[in-house]
């Protein structure tokens, strides 16, 4: 999944229910040229038994028909080796690992083994619980199996209080997973975060502000009678309205937000630097007092030489320009000598305690 400046839009029903429902939804979606990929759940992981658990294999036939008719690449969720085998047999283009599967390393490993030697994009949803290492672990397992075309889907987390969401977005995880998995495209699934249609716009826009590479939004030709996730699915026209309401200018949004983030980082670092300089200056003062009490010279060439060598070595190690660090050390040193001189002079001119009496 290549990242691009235009967000990749994945849409389609939560679950495949009938050939008609699939085809009508897909026909509606292709009217909006911004939809790139058609999704459908074929095997549904349900919290309680007895709920609709997906149509299984026959849904793959409908999906193949959708692809033939609309030309849209197709994506399905896989949770075990058999799902992988059947999805590949029917020519599904993209697979995704669901939140309830990412949570289980045994299941992810089973998928990784089934995918060994297969060249197909795989998207990994975050685990239901907010454990970023588990998310990363799933990505690594697939990568070790030779899957290189990987992507991540942020679909929110189950937390003690998800209100008003179905799954809490914990937006900070976007930055965290980005730095842990640099270069891996990151999608957002506003449908499973929001859980309700009226929140989709806010959630989608926030995700776009954070620079996600794409959105996965559930759609259904008649959402109210959907067999799963009825309250969060939109009609194809509803999707078009939603997309029209969003500022999709991805690059512009991402760079504006990034600049804002970077500037606040610089602000914080500058504040840290100033606080550290204050602490350093205070320590210099105490050194001055010690030197005065012990009649030592302020400038001690041996110590200064060692200090510079040590700091330059560190600067080289971490990749800070040597002449830059030497200039800063010079300025710090001048200031430190100044502080110590003040201590000495104050001592020389202050009246003796007895005189104050
Ligand atoms: C889905 O995409 O329909 C789905 C089941 O999602 P999740 O794994 O995020 O719950
Ligand atoms: Mn769903």
């Amino acid at each position: 999944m290549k990242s691009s400046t235009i967000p990749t839009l994945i849409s389609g029903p939560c679950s495949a229910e009938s050939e008609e429902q699939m085809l009508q939804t897909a026909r509606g979606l292709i009217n909006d040229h911004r939809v790139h990929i058609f999704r459908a759940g074929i095997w549904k992981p349900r919290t309680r038994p007895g709920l609709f658990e997906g149509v299984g294999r026959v849904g793959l036939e409908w999906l193949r028909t959708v692809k033939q008719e609309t030309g849209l690449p197709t994506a399905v969720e896989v949770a075990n080796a058999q799902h992988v085998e059947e999805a590949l047999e029917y020519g599904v283009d993209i697979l995704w690992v669901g939140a309830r599967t990412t949570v289980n390393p045994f299941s992810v490993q089973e998928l990784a083994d089934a995918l060994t030697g297969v060249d197909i994009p795989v998207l990994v949803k975050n685990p239901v619980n907010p454990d970023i290492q588990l998310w990363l672990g799933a990505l690594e397992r697939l990568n070790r199996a030779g899957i290189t075309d990987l992507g991540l889907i942020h679909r929110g987390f189950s937390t003690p209080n998800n209100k008003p969401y179905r799954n809490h977005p914990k937006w900070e995880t976007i930055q965290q997973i980005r730095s842990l998995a640099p270069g891996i495209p990151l999608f957002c699934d506003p449908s499973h975060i929001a859980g309700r249609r009226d929140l989709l716009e806010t959630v989608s826009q926030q995700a776009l502000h954070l620079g996600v590479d794409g959105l996965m939004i559930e759609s259904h030709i008649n959402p109210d009678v959907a067999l799963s996730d009825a309250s969060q699915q939109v009609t194809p026209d509803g999707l078009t309205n939603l997309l029209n309401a969003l500022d999709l200018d991805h690059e512009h949004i991402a760079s504006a937000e990034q600049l804002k983030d970077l500037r606040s980082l610089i602000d914080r670092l500058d504040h840290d630097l100033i606080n550290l300089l204050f602490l350093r200056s205070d320590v210099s003062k105490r050194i001055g007092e010690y030197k005065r009490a012990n009649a030592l010279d302020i400038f001690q060439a041996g110590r200064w030489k060692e200090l510079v060598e040590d700091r330059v070595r560190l600067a080289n190690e971490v990749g800070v320009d040597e002449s830059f660090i030497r200039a800063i050390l010079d300025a710090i040193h001048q200031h430190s000598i100044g502080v110590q001189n003040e201590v000495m002079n104050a001592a020389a001119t202050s009246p003796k305690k007895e005189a104050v009496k």
Side-chain angles (χ1 to χ4, degrees), residues 14 39 44-45 77 96 98-100 125 155 189 192 218:
C14 174
R39 66 149 276 159
K44 299 306 294 180
E77 172 178 347
W96 85 82
R100 289 163 198 75
K125 286 199 173 193
R155 51 78 76 196
D189 169 347
H192 289 88
E218 288 182 341

Side-chain angles (χ1 to χ4, degrees), residues 13-15 39-41 43-46 77 96-102 125-126 128 153-156 166-167 189 191-193 216 218 228-229 232:
C14 174
S15 302
R39 66 149 276 159
W43 304 277
K44 299 306 294 180
R46 304 313 298 272
E77 172 178 347
W96 85 82
V97 181
R100 289 163 198 75
T101 306
T102 309
K125 286 199 173 193
N126 66 255
V128 179
I153 304 178
H154 168 240
R155 51 78 76 196
R166 176 180 176 191
N167 288 288
D189 169 347
S191 303
H192 289 88
I193 292 176
M216 179 188 258
E218 288 182 341
S228 59
D229 291 350
Q232 71 194 30

Side-chain angles (χ1 to χ4, degrees), residues 328-346:
I328 287 177
L329 285 173
D330 267 353
I332 287 177
H333 191 225
Q334 287 307 319
H335 180 260
S336 178
I337 299 252
V339 168
Q340 292 185 27
N341 267 325
E342 258 176 46
V343 173
M344 292 288 185
N345 294 340

Side-chain angles (χ1 to χ4, degrees), residues 23-336:
L23 276 169
Q24 285 181 19
T25 307
R27 284 176 193 144
L29 291 175
I30 50 161
N31 289 331
D32 193 315
H33 298 289
R34 293 168 291 190
V35 176
H36 301 89
I37 298 159
F38 185 81
R39 66 149 276 159
I42 302 293
W43 304 277
K44 299 306 294 180
R46 304 313 298 272
T47 308
R48 307 262 313 272
L51 299 171
F52 173 64
E53 290 188 328
V55 293
R57 198 179 177 98
V58 67
L60 293 170
E61 286 177 23
W62 306 334
L63 202 57
R64 194 167 54 189
T65 310
V66 163
K67 183 175 166 178
Q68 279 161 0
E69 194 185 299
T70 64
L72 286 173
T74 54
V76 297
E77 172 178 347
V78 286
N80 61 37
Q82 193 203 325
H83 297 166
V84 170
E85 199 182 300
E86 292 187 17
L88 295 175
E89 190 186 322
Y90 281 85
V92 171
D93 301 284
I94 297 161
L95 306 178
W96 85 82
V97 181
R100 289 163 198 75
T101 306
T102 309
V103 100
N104 184 346
F106 288 132
S107 302
V108 176
Q109 193 56 51
E110 180 181 329
L111 290 177
D113 293 342
L115 283 163
T116 302
V118 181
D119 184 17
I120 188 167
V122 182
L123 305 174
V124 183
K125 286 199 173 193
N126 66 255
V128 179
N129 55 323
D131 182 340
I132 212 149
Q133 292 298 326
L134 215 43
W135 199 4
L136 195 64
L139 207 63
E140 283 167 357
R141 281 179 200 277
L142 292 163
N143 190 235
R144 284 184 186 193
I147 301 289
T148 52
D149 204 349
L150 285 163
L152 294 154
I153 304 178
H154 168 240
R155 51 78 76 196
F157 301 89
S158 180
T159 67
N161 181 8
N162 292 335
K163 285 195 181 79
Y165 309 103
R166 176 180 176 191
N167 288 288
H168 202 288
K170 288 175 70 59
W171 292 115
E172 69 280 9
T173 36
I174 287 209
Q175 215 33 53
Q176 290 164 356
I177 195 70
R178 274 243 173 76
S179 54
L180 290 168
I184 305 286
L186 178 63
F187 295 78
C188 179
D189 169 347
S191 303
H192 289 88
I193 292 176
R196 33 188 263 213
R197 281 182 275 284
D198 63 335
L199 278 184
L200 285 177
E201 186 184 328
T202 323
V203 174
S204 305
Q205 192 63 74
Q206 179 63 22
L208 291 168
H209 274 309
L210 293 169
V212 296
D213 299 281
L215 298 172
M216 179 188 258
I217 300 176
E218 288 182 341
S219 54
H220 190 291
I221 195 63
N222 191 357
D224 290 336
V225 300
L227 298 178
S228 59
D229 291 350
S231 55
Q232 71 194 30
Q233 302 198 63
V234 287
T235 59
D237 285 349
L239 183 73
T240 293
N241 293 338
L242 172 64
L243 297 180
N244 289 343
L246 295 173
D247 189 350
L248 293 170
D249 188 350
H250 189 233
E251 194 166 40
H252 144 78
I253 295 169
S255 58
E257 277 305 302
Q258 274 162 14
L259 183 61
K260 212 167 102 209
D261 285 356
L262 291 172
R263 282 186 171 152
S264 67
L265 192 58
I266 281 284
D267 292 348
R268 237 179 25 240
L269 289 171
D270 283 352
H271 289 192
D272 287 353
L273 277 175
I274 289 167
N275 282 322
L276 285 172
L277 286 171
F278 164 76
L279 288 176
R280 196 186 193 286
S281 161
D282 194 52
V283 174
S284 290
K285 200 162 132 204
R286 281 158 50 203
I287 291 180
E289 282 159 6
Y290 179 90
K291 285 179 180 166
R292 183 191 68 204
N294 293 280
L296 295 172
D297 286 340
I298 291 180
F299 180 61
Q300 309 218 334
R303 161 71 184 153
W304 180 244
K305 188 165 168 283
E306 272 174 31
L307 184 153
V308 172
E309 278 169 11
D310 174 73
R311 306 322 186 242
V312 165
R313 190 178 326 112
L314 178 61
N316 284 327
E317 254 172 51
V318 297
V320 174
D321 181 67
E322 184 175 325
S323 56
F324 173 54
I325 211 69
R326 281 186 189 278
I328 287 177
L329 285 173
D330 267 353
I332 287 177
H333 191 225
Q334 287 307 319
H335 180 260
S336 178

